[in-house]
Amino acid sequence: MDQLSAMQTFRRVVDLGSFSAAANQAGVSHTVLSRQVKNLERHLGTQLLNRTTRRLQPTEAGLLFYRHCVQILEQMQAMRLELSEHQQQPTGTLRLGVSTAFGELELGRWLPDFVEQHPGLHIELNCTDRFIDLLEEDVDVCLRVTDHLPDSSLIARHLAASEVVLVAAPAYLERHGAPDTPEALVRHPLLGYSHLQHPQRLRLSSAAASQEIQMPRRLSANSPMALRAAAIGGLGIASFDRFIVQDALGDGRLVRVLVDWQLPARKLHAVYPQSRYLAPKVRAFLDYVQRYYAAPRWGH
């Protein structure tokens, strides 16, 4: 029995919670992985997994073995990387997850420079507005702009603050008038992002007060880029991360609304699986985006 391969299989099954997910990631059949773990249990003389119809759960012995597996496999990975050319020059495929808006509007500003600095890397982009499972979908790093990160074993590195602004098209404000107080917003339709828990609710604050406003909804969408197009088209008022509308504010297609009031800012994070040793390609990427976003990028 190839004990190292069996340990890798066991770790993958525990991380992903099922043989099916582990088999899909490894590109082999469910039967092959199940047989490997059974042979490992026979070799060790103890049961490692409690198998149910819904999910696999490590036994007490399985948890102990899992901790040793993680330590041994990461030490082996570190040894291989230290002995290879990868330690000097990042190579291979970097799987990167981003939102659709970030992919369309931000990556073009800095990704070409990063790729030029690391010609041995191939970038594989996963652009989606849903929160993906990095382990199940085999993504190395995900860039997320959010006001809340779910609890998980992932590492989240803060890169930058993302200002949220309230905007509308000049033509819309000419037809309907520009609101001069938060209370006046209730007479205007909101273009709402449907992935938010409360798409019609805005929390506004100034130096002296804070208010929560419920706006009537004219349009909701699960795509920030579709909402951006609707706002530019004059359908109503919308709130966006500034990077989504920075160019439209710059050329006058959109203008700020209630500039003396602020919406809660969000944060840009780089999220990646926890590991004692980062692959050079991941470390190079994290260091690059940390340096890039250390300088303010989404100005007023």
Side-chain angles (χ1 to χ4, degrees):
M1 180 183 65
D2 184 343
Q3 290 192 41
L4 187 60
S5 176
M7 290 166 65
Q8 290 170 331
T9 293
F10 178 74
R11 180 185 180 182
R12 183 179 287 116
V13 168
V14 173
D15 284 342
L16 297 179
S18 77
F19 279 108
S20 297
N24 287 337
Q25 188 184 88
V28 298
S29 72
H30 176 290
T31 304
V32 169
L33 297 195
S34 180
R35 187 183 302 120
Q36 273 190 299
V37 173
K38 286 180 180 178
N39 288 340
L40 186 61
E41 289 177 322
R42 191 178 302 112
H43 176 76
L44 295 172
T46 187
Q47 184 177 348
L48 300 175
L49 295 172
N50 288 319
R51 298 162 174 82
T52 68
T53 56
R54 299 189 62 184
R55 189 170 175 85
L56 298 173
Q57 197 71 27
T59 63
E60 186 175 350
L63 286 173
L64 177 62
F65 184 68
Y66 173 81
R67 287 195 293 269
H68 285 291
C69 279
V70 171
Q71 183 178 11
I72 292 168
L73 292 172
E74 290 190 351
Q75 286 176 345
M76 291 291 293
Q77 174 72 354
M79 180 189 69
R80 284 195 295 265
L81 289 170
E82 287 176 7
L83 294 175
S84 73
E85 193 175 341
H86 283 257
Q87 186 65 16
Q88 287 73 42
Q89 182 63 41
T91 60
T93 299
L94 178 68
R95 296 174 177 85
L96 177 62
V98 296
S99 69
T100 53
F102 199 91
E104 290 185 38
L105 300 171
E106 271 295 295
L107 290 188
R109 302 179 187 277
W110 53 262
L111 190 59
D113 179 62
F114 173 75
V115 171
E116 187 175 349
Q117 290 185 25
H118 302 287
L121 276 180
H122 166 73
I123 309 298
E124 187 175 292
L125 278 176
N126 182 337
C127 295
T128 178
D129 291 323
R130 64 183 175 83
F131 273 56
I132 61 175
D133 186 320
L134 273 68
L135 291 172
E136 187 167 344
E137 302 195 30
D138 199 21
V139 171
D140 295 306
V141 185
C142 191
L143 296 181
R144 288 175 174 164
V145 182
T146 181
D147 54 6
H148 173 72
L149 284 172
D151 293 334
S152 72
S153 61
L154 302 173
I155 302 296
R157 183 185 294 193
H158 176 252
L159 300 177
S162 179
E163 182 187 11
V164 179
V165 293
L166 203 60
V167 300
Y172 171 84
L173 297 176
E174 287 173 11
R175 291 195 307 271
H176 301 282
D180 54 4
T181 65
E183 292 84 358
L185 288 172
V186 299
R187 298 192 295 272
H188 292 268
L190 179 72
L191 311 179
Y193 184 47
S194 57
H195 283 182
L196 295 177
Q197 187 174 5
H198 302 288
Q200 295 171 257
R201 187 180 302 171
L202 295 178
R203 287 191 293 121
L204 295 154
S205 62
S206 67
S210 62
Q211 289 186 248
E212 188 170 284
I213 303 297
Q214 189 86 359
M215 295 176 65
R217 183 168 51 179
R218 169 170 289 171
L219 171 72
S220 61
N222 63 357
S223 163
M225 296 303 290
L227 290 175
R228 178 181 185 268
I232 292 172
L235 284 184
I237 294 174
S239 64
F240 292 101
D241 289 282
R242 179 180 275 275
F243 78 88
I244 295 177
V245 292
Q246 182 73 8
D247 59 340
L249 289 171
D251 61 24
R253 286 175 293 163
L254 293 172
V255 295
R256 294 279 304 275
V257 175
L258 292 177
V259 294
D260 293 329
W261 292 80
Q262 289 80 45
L263 292 159
R266 287 145 54 94
K267 294 180 180 179
L268 170 63
H269 291 96
V271 182
Y272 53 97
Q274 188 171 14
S275 175
R276 291 178 60 191
Y277 187 86
L278 283 177
K281 62 182 180 181
V282 175
R283 183 187 294 110
F285 179 79
L286 292 173
D287 290 346
Y288 183 92
V289 292
Q290 184 89 63
R291 288 193 303 270
Y292 180 84
Y293 286 106
R297 296 294 174 178
W298 305 316
H300 294 272

